[in-house]
């Protein structure tokens, strides 16, 4: 049987400014044996994929986004060089026919299902894509990846990203009482997508759908959250330690057909599961692209304003520097609730 193997991770949980982005990557792995451990996609795809950039064979680096994004003041390469190459290469293979390389950021957001937030600082004419390389170079990388995936019996089913701008983020935090409520909302959206699209049970008792989610903070118990998200579904906790929590879900989808899925919440899951690392890259790339729009908007109001990535230390500096051009009511919208 084949395995549907998905990963979910976020970017932008901690910042004071800018959107929260939660990425999803979904793979199909052929010739998988039920009840066996999740496959090592770094190993299966090693002809085209590696963990660290700078590989002499020019393979595509896939790792936690924090390890791949270069500093904003990097003298030798664009900060998004490795993130963009990886995301666009995998996106070129996603789905039945592949997505190809978008020509602008709106095309990228559309292919990833990443809705542009409603705040005016994200509403601009499209920015070019790619920004660190060329469409031809992306095509070469995608062809290398396609060959490696074909030999390994691996398919890229989907790459998606859920984006919450400041207004929606603050509403979710206000309603839930904690900023984890915003991440949970995006997580549930992605889990439902996998459940409804690929979780069809075939009567064998194990359909082969596995989702790995990065575990945030000290939370260890997710059963109540899953039960709320999937009403009427049997949610069974099958394993729990300080490092991981495992659940098995059995129920029906929106079409009334039977569904079955396993969900793992794991500390530092991006180190152990390539789909989570790729989801982290997708989320980070989308957030950085949204922040490029953010900074273009505000620098148009004040050309001498130094851009910000939105993280707390620099965000307070930015708010002070931009105070003269922030209009009445905008500051309350700009600042995300803790």
């Amino acid at each position: 049987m084949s395995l549907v193997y998905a990963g979910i991770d976020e970017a932008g949980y901690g910042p004071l400014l800018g959107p929260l982005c939660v990425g999803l990557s979904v793979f199909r792995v052929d010739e998988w044996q039920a009840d066996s451990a999740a496959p090592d996609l770094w190993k299966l795809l090693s002809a085209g994929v590696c963990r660290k950039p700078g590989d002499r064979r020019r393979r595509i680096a896939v790792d936690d986004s924090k390890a791949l994004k270069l500093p904003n003041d990097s003298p030798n390469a664009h900060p998004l060089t490795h993130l963009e190459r990886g995301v666009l290469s995998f996106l070129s293979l996603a789905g039945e026919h592949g997505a190809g390389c978008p020509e602008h950021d709106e095309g990228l957001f559309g292919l990833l299902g990443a809705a542009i937030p409603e705040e005016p600082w994200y509403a601009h004419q499209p920015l070019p894509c790619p920004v660190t390389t060329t469409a031809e170079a992306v095509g070469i990388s995608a062809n290398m990846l396609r060959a490696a995936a074909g030999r390994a019996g691996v398919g890229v089913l989907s790459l998606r990203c859920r984006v919450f701008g400041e207004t929606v983020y603050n509403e979710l935090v206000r309603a839930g009482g904690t900023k984890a409520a915003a991440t949970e909302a995006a997580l549930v959206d992605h889990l439902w997508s996998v459940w409804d699209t690929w979780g069809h049970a075939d009567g064998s008792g194990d359909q082969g759908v596995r989702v790995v989610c990065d575990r945030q903070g000290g939370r260890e118990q997710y059963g109540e959250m899953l039960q709320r998200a999937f009403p009427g579904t049997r949610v069974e906790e099958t394993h729990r330690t300080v490092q991981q929590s495992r659940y098995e879900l059995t129920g029906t989808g929106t079409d009334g057909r039977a569904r079955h899925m396993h969900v793992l919440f794991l500390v530092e899951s991006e180190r152990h599961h390539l789909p989570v690392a790729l989801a982290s890259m997708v989320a980070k790339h989308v957030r950085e692209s949204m922040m490029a729009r953010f900074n273009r908007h505000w620098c148009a109001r004040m050309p001498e304003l130094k851009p910000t990535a939105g993280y707390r230390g620099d965000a307070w500096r930015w708010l002070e520097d931009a105070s003269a051009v922030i209009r009445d009511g905008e500051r309350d919208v700009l600042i995300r609730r803790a």
Side-chain angles (χ1 to χ4, degrees):
M1 67 184 298
S2 64
L3 169 69
V4 173
Y5 181 23
I8 300 173
D9 201 2
E10 56 77 23
Y13 183 73
L16 186 72
L17 304 173
L20 170 68
C21 300
V22 181
L24 165 72
S25 75
V26 188
F27 290 81
R28 185 201 70 252
V29 182
D30 297 332
E31 305 302 324
W32 177 79
Q33 298 298 317
D35 296 325
S36 61
D40 183 346
L41 290 188
W42 278 290
K43 183 176 181 180
L44 285 176
L45 299 175
S46 60
V49 167
C50 60
R51 285 182 180 264
K52 303 301 178 187
D55 179 65
R56 284 185 288 181
R57 294 161 56 187
R58 291 290 298 157
R59 292 177 297 173
I60 299 162
V62 180
D63 202 351
D64 179 18
S65 62
K66 293 186 289 293
L68 294 183
K69 182 185 177 296
L70 299 176
N72 288 333
D73 58 356
S74 176
N76 300 318
H78 192 286
L80 300 183
T81 295
H82 306 305
L83 286 175
E84 184 174 62
R85 182 181 183 227
V87 170
L88 293 183
S89 296
F90 276 90
L91 188 59
S92 294
L93 273 65
E96 185 177 353
H97 303 293
C101 185
E103 296 181 355
H104 45 68
D105 62 349
E106 281 190 8
L108 172 67
F109 301 151
L111 291 171
L112 293 171
I116 298 173
E118 64 184 33
E119 290 75 19
W121 37 89
Y122 301 113
H124 289 285
Q125 292 298 313
L127 295 174
C129 180
V131 296
T132 70
T133 183
T134 65
E136 290 75 19
V138 170
I140 292 171
S141 296
N143 286 336
M144 176 179 62
L145 178 61
R146 185 176 289 106
R151 288 193 294 271
V154 174
V156 184
L157 297 178
S158 183
L159 295 183
R160 307 294 287 175
C161 189
R162 191 77 165 86
V163 180
F164 293 144
E166 296 89 335
T167 301
V168 173
Y169 175 93
N170 284 336
E171 288 173 352
L172 289 167
V173 172
R174 191 177 297 111
T178 171
K179 68 179 183 178
T183 306
E184 181 178 315
L187 172 66
V188 168
D189 280 353
H190 285 324
L191 288 174
W192 256 103
S193 174
V194 176
W195 170 262
D196 234 22
T197 307
W198 295 285
H200 302 291
D202 61 1
S204 67
D206 197 330
Q207 174 63 11
V209 179
R210 301 288 185 274
V211 186
V212 185
C213 311
D214 191 51
R215 197 166 84 179
Q216 295 291 324
R219 183 174 182 177
E220 296 180 8
Q221 206 281 335
Y222 293 86
E224 292 182 4
M225 182 204 78
L226 291 171
Q227 197 67 75
R228 289 195 308 272
F230 294 86
T233 296
R234 181 173 65 84
V235 177
E236 179 183 359
E237 183 179 76
T238 58
H239 184 74
R240 192 204 304 180
T241 68
V242 295
Q243 295 295 317
Q244 60 179 267
S245 305
R246 295 177 180 267
Y247 299 88
E248 181 177 358
L249 280 65
T250 307
T252 57
T254 55
D255 59 2
R257 295 177 58 188
R259 298 290 196 280
H260 187 229
M261 183 169 73
H262 293 265
V263 182
L264 167 65
F265 295 89
L266 176 66
V267 175
E268 296 185 343
S269 56
E270 70 280 351
R271 293 176 50 195
H272 308 285
H273 296 270
L274 183 146
V276 182
L278 183 57
S280 168
M281 292 169 61
V282 168
K284 184 66 170 177
H285 185 48
V286 170
R287 177 175 158 84
E288 292 292 323
S289 299
M290 294 291 182
M291 290 305 294
R293 286 177 165 242
F294 177 102
N295 284 304
R296 185 171 71 167
H297 173 92
W298 291 102
C299 288
R301 294 195 193 183
M302 179 184 284
E304 68 274 22
L305 182 62
K306 180 183 176 182
T308 182
Y311 291 87
R312 289 186 173 271
D314 188 62
W316 289 117
R317 182 276 310 169
W318 183 92
L319 286 165
E320 178 65 24
D321 290 350
S323 60
V325 294
I326 297 175
R327 298 167 186 153
D328 291 345
E330 288 183 330
R331 184 182 174 90
D332 288 341
V333 178
L334 276 164
I335 298 176
R336 286 174 26 179
R337 297 171 65 94

